[in-house]
Amino acid sequence: MKILGIETTCDETGIALIEFKETKFRILSHKLRSQIKVHSKYGGIVPILAAREHKKNLPILFDSLIREIKIDFKKDIDYFAFSYGPGLPPALVEGKEFVVSLAKKYEKKIIPVNHLIAHFYSVLISKNKIGVWQKIKEIPLPALGLLVSGGHTILAFIEDFRKIKKLGETLDDAIGESLDKGARILGLDYPGGPKLEKLAKKGRPLFNLPHPLINQKNFNFSFAGLKTAFWELVEEIRKYNKLDELKQDLAYSYQKTAFETVIIKTKKAFEKYRPKSIIVTGGVIANQFLRKMFVKVFGTKVYFPVKNLSTDNGINIAFSGYFLLDKAVEYSNLDIDPLADI
Ligand code: KG4
Ligand code: ZN
């Protein structure tokens, strides 16, 4: 069975083709175009520009994929999978229009995939390598799931991948968003998360910042207060003309505080629910410092996506589609849901 997956929820245009044989699969092609350059000068994602870029890039990526994989789409493809939300409404509309045009042309059904759930499914992929057969990874369940991305910070209980219950989420900024804002306070471009990580490499934990909500019993998060405290601290340091000298230490302290907050909450949920494993996924887990913190606390119980699959891409969508075949719809019944939840 072959599934083509399409991702356009935010600022990455992704298309991937995966072939499945029972519990094995291989990635046949993977095309991804990031819009970072388009948005960075605005300090964040501009939805209407994201939509324009998806509209431009989808046919380019698709053409490049069909040139690379010489297959008869009508005969050889079984389904199209498409991420219907959550995401930016104009970006989702472009993805939907594109997948509907393909489904019409090749007479296929479409599997609507929830973007958040796709982040969780992505940990079942062991290798991000084109053409190599691999087994679907088995992870001991039930698991605790933590999604740390630019748009979400969610703790969930995963009884199985089709039965995910939310335990808590951020009440204001998502962790990725808070890293991007913290980075911006230090004068770094969007997306600031990776740049903050680089800057923090030579930093020291010199500054104490607040860990919001860690003493509350629930599993919600809050990062807005941390960002405000950081802004005040940076302004104070700027007054003394010490910003350049202390930038690395500020980056280190900010990142560390945000990460400690998620570790503390995850540990509390772990103690309460006693899962067999912990899945940490989403763009922010590309951060090596955070990965190390999780491994230090949870050892072999923790699972991450492999390189380049923690951020948004088409592979995650095509792969998730395989587990959701019963949800496939005719193109005329497809809809987007910008506020989709898990
Ligand atoms: O999952 P994702 O690609 O998109 C959403 O669905 O939001 O996550 C993007 C977020 C951005 O906030 C970005 O700054 C953050 O992931 N990110 C990182 C790193 N790489 C990406 N944050 C910290 N360290 C990184 N290395
Ligand atoms: Zn995402």
Side-chain angles (χ1 to χ4, degrees), residues 34-42 46 49-50 52-53:
S34 168
Q35 305 177 1
I36 283 175
K37 278 200 186 126
V38 176
H39 301 287
S40 67
K41 59 173 174 282
Y42 300 101
V46 184
L49 293 182
R52 187 193 72 186
E53 291 300 299

Side-chain angles (χ1 to χ4, degrees), residues 185-197:
I185 292 170
L186 291 180
L188 304 170
D189 284 347
Y190 177 84
K195 287 157 196 136
L196 204 64
E197 176 179 23

Side-chain angles (χ1 to χ4, degrees), residues 3 18 20 81 111 113-114 117-122 315-325:
I3 302 178
I18 305 186
F20 298 88
I111 309 162
V113 175
N114 180 308
I117 311 276
H119 271 302
F120 286 121
Y121 271 119
S122 72
I315 294 176
N316 291 357
I317 307 305
F319 183 74
S320 306
Y322 186 59
F323 304 90
L324 305 166
L325 298 179

Side-chain angles (χ1 to χ4, degrees), residues 168-183:
E169 66 188 324
T170 185
L171 303 177
D172 39 57
D173 294 349
I175 182 164
E177 188 183 357
S178 86
L179 294 173
D180 295 340
K181 286 178 177 171

Side-chain angles (χ1 to χ4, degrees), residues 4 6 15 55 58-59 62-63 73-74 80 82 93-110 330-332 334:
L4 183 95
I6 295 179
I15 304 189
K55 193 183 174 95
L58 281 166
F62 185 70
D63 283 351
F73 256 64
K74 206 162 204 163
F80 293 110
F82 151 75
V93 167
E94 290 305 331
K96 185 196 155 193
E97 283 183 1
F98 189 73
V99 77
V100 165
S101 71
L102 292 181
K104 249 189 208 171
K105 182 168 174 194
Y106 298 110
E107 296 167 12
K108 306 289 169 193
K109 280 189 165 182
I110 301 168
E330 298 295 342
Y331 62 78
S332 50
L334 188 70

